Amino acid sequence: MKISILLENGLFLSAKGFGASGTSVGEIVFNTSMTGYQEIITDPSYAGQYVVFTASEIGNVGVNKNDMESKGAFLKGIIVRSYNENYSNFRGEQSLSSFLKEKNILGISDIDTRFLTKLIRNEGSQMMIASSEIHDKDELKKLLDEAPHISEINYINEVTTPEMYIHNQGAWNDETLSFNEPNTSKTIAVYDFGVKINILNELTNVGLKCEVYPASTPAEDLITKYNNNEIMGVFLSNGPGDPLVLTDVKNNVIKLIEAKIPMFGICLGHQLLSIAHGYDTFKLKFGHHGGNHPVKQKSVEITAQNHNYNVPEEIKNIAEVTHINLFDNTIEGVKYKDEPIFSVQHHPEASPGPRESKYIFKEFADML
């Protein structure tokens, strides 16, 4: 299957398709992780994006139900150098191509991903269109120009849970090849903006019973539960898109802050806390996406990252900076002064790794 690609800067490319067919517009970013393509593909934070994998061989371990990070896949497509249809792994249950077809996700291969990665690094993330149906550059450009920019789209309603549920599994156990049984003693509310399953697993693993709520849940509902001692804190999850378009969510977070409820945020949750405190986020040139980013706390941790937006330096006026990204010195973690609130930009649950930041979940449990 032939796939035609047109980038916002006018670059026109041809490639092979191995997933779903169709035409879709999204933002192109690159990910430097060498493993874990299934976790990346099923991370809701990638909604509306095309992911270029810098790892050259993709598909070689197949797909399995235990490595899912959400109920589905919300990205527009993946772009790889070499796709392997014949997977070889004792945990593999189906090929990546069949999975992408089920989820209606474009798979694009036989393309110079090193070139694309350098282009994104030099020119920044940008919109693109890919199609198995349309191969005329002018027609593709017309569709790309007419499509809304990712910064104008609220993807939260697409990825959040439709109703409250209780998460009931712990972290993956490499020895038993199964998930740990929950042993929880404290209850928290989780605002689901596109939460990864392994974040919930890690919260449960440190003794927190997770009541997961839709993103539209009024803050007043959670404040009432907190005042009635039904929950001990609130977790703000990761999620897709530009946090500045989430006005209703921001207003809910402001109310939770005013109620002095203990809170912990990861990624989008980290950004929303900054915005709710009056410090708007800004967009990075090409974002941080990968499993090999060094972050300095008291020591240096290798972390997993997935974000295009960052909190500003001015946040230091109201918060102590706890983590710094050593690639570009951007802020990776803060603890708010005189408030039981802290947050990190990176993903301490990682999945598949690295695991050096998992201690942060216990810090939240100990704070409650």
Side-chain angles (χ1 to χ4, degrees):
M1 178 171 60
K2 179 182 177 181
I3 298 281
S4 292
I5 300 168
L6 180 66
L7 269 63
E8 194 176 347
N9 67 357
L11 180 67
F12 184 53
L13 301 169
S14 291
K16 289 183 179 179
F18 64 90
S21 58
T23 303
S24 63
V25 175
E27 182 181 46
I28 185 171
V29 297
F30 66 84
N31 186 295
T32 57
S33 294
M34 299 306 290
T35 60
Y37 60 76
Q38 182 180 342
E39 290 91 331
I40 293 164
I41 292 168
T42 57
D43 180 350
S45 294
Y46 281 112
Q49 293 179 319
Y50 283 91
V51 177
V52 178
F53 285 98
T54 60
S56 57
E57 301 292 329
I58 298 294
N60 46 317
V61 295
V63 173
N64 70 82
K65 66 179 183 299
N66 288 326
D67 288 344
M68 296 289 290
E69 285 293 348
S70 67
K71 60 189 176 185
F74 303 95
L75 43 59
K76 295 294 184 178
I78 64 171
I79 303 174
V80 308
R81 177 67 187 92
S82 179
Y83 168 66
N84 295 275
E85 175 66 18
N86 298 317
Y87 61 92
S88 177
N89 186 278
F90 74 99
R91 296 175 67 232
E93 296 171 350
Q94 69 178 122
S95 69
L96 177 57
S97 65
S98 65
F99 176 81
L100 294 178
K101 290 171 184 174
E102 285 178 5
K103 304 301 180 184
N104 197 31
I105 303 297
L106 292 176
I108 303 168
S109 70
D110 290 55
I111 201 163
D112 189 343
T113 51
R114 182 184 293 269
F115 166 75
L116 276 180
T117 300
K118 289 180 178 179
L119 184 149
I120 298 166
R121 185 189 65 190
N122 294 333
E123 299 187 21
S125 303
Q126 56 189 282
M127 299 297 288
M128 63 161 274
I129 184 170
S131 179
S132 63
E133 308 160 318
I134 303 167
H135 304 289
D136 179 77
K137 181 178 178 181
D138 292 336
E139 189 174 351
L140 289 172
K141 185 178 188 309
K142 182 176 182 294
L143 293 173
L144 180 59
D145 291 343
E146 292 173 348
H149 194 274
I150 191 170
S151 62
E152 302 167 352
I153 304 172
N154 181 348
Y155 280 105
I156 300 300
N157 292 335
E158 180 181 335
V159 300
T160 191
T161 178
E163 57 187 20
M164 191 278 281
Y165 68 93
I166 295 174
H167 185 74
N168 58 6
Q169 74 179 13
W172 178 258
N173 189 315
D174 288 330
E175 294 183 0
T176 63
L177 296 180
S178 62
F179 294 100
N180 292 331
E181 290 293 324
N183 181 19
T184 56
S185 58
K186 302 175 181 178
T187 301
I188 63 167
V190 174
Y191 254 129
D192 178 14
F193 308 129
V195 68
K196 291 175 64 180
I197 289 174
N198 271 297
I199 287 179
L200 298 176
N201 290 348
E202 294 296 341
L203 288 167
T204 304
N205 222 50
V206 295
L208 300 178
K209 180 181 177 181
C210 295
E211 296 182 352
V212 187
Y213 288 85
S216 59
T217 303
E220 290 82 0
D221 291 1
L222 302 188
I223 292 170
T224 298
K225 292 181 74 71
Y226 178 72
N227 290 335
N228 291 339
N229 297 316
E230 296 176 44
I231 61 171
M232 299 181 69
V234 173
F235 173 75
L236 305 178
S237 84
N238 62 294
D242 187 343
L244 291 176
V245 307
L246 305 176
T247 304
D248 292 342
V249 174
K250 179 192 77 171
N251 291 335
N252 277 330
V253 176
I254 290 173
K255 293 174 184 176
L256 295 174
I257 293 170
E258 292 173 344
K260 301 187 182 305
I261 296 179
M263 281 191 285
F264 170 37
I266 288 178
C267 202
L268 180 64
H270 166 78
Q271 297 159 14
L272 286 167
L273 283 167
S274 177
I275 295 168
H277 278 92
Y279 293 84
D280 285 354
T281 51
F282 66 94
K283 189 169 186 178
L284 298 166
K285 184 176 181 180
F286 50 82
H288 299 153
H289 310 277
N292 49 7
H293 289 242
V295 166
K296 184 177 181 181
Q297 192 213 27
K298 295 176 183 177
S299 58
V300 176
E301 306 163 17
I302 303 302
T303 68
Q305 307 256 346
N306 177 18
H307 63 104
N308 271 357
Y309 300 88
N310 222 85
V311 304
E313 289 290 320
E314 291 77 16
I315 198 73
K316 294 176 182 177
N317 295 334
I318 60 167
E320 172 195 352
V321 175
T322 57
H323 298 74
I324 294 290
N325 188 301
L326 293 182
F327 278 157
D328 57 10
N329 291 317
T330 52
I331 294 172
E332 284 281 346
V334 296
K335 185 181 187 309
Y336 288 89
K337 299 174 183 177
D338 304 318
E339 293 178 330
I341 301 172
F342 72 100
S343 60
V344 292
Q345 181 61 74
H346 54 281
H347 281 258
E349 86 291 346
S351 301
R355 301 176 177 178
E356 297 172 22
S357 300
K358 288 174 68 171
Y359 66 87
I360 295 173
F361 293 104
K362 188 173 188 309
E363 288 186 351
F364 180 47
D366 291 343
M367 182 182 78
L368 300 176

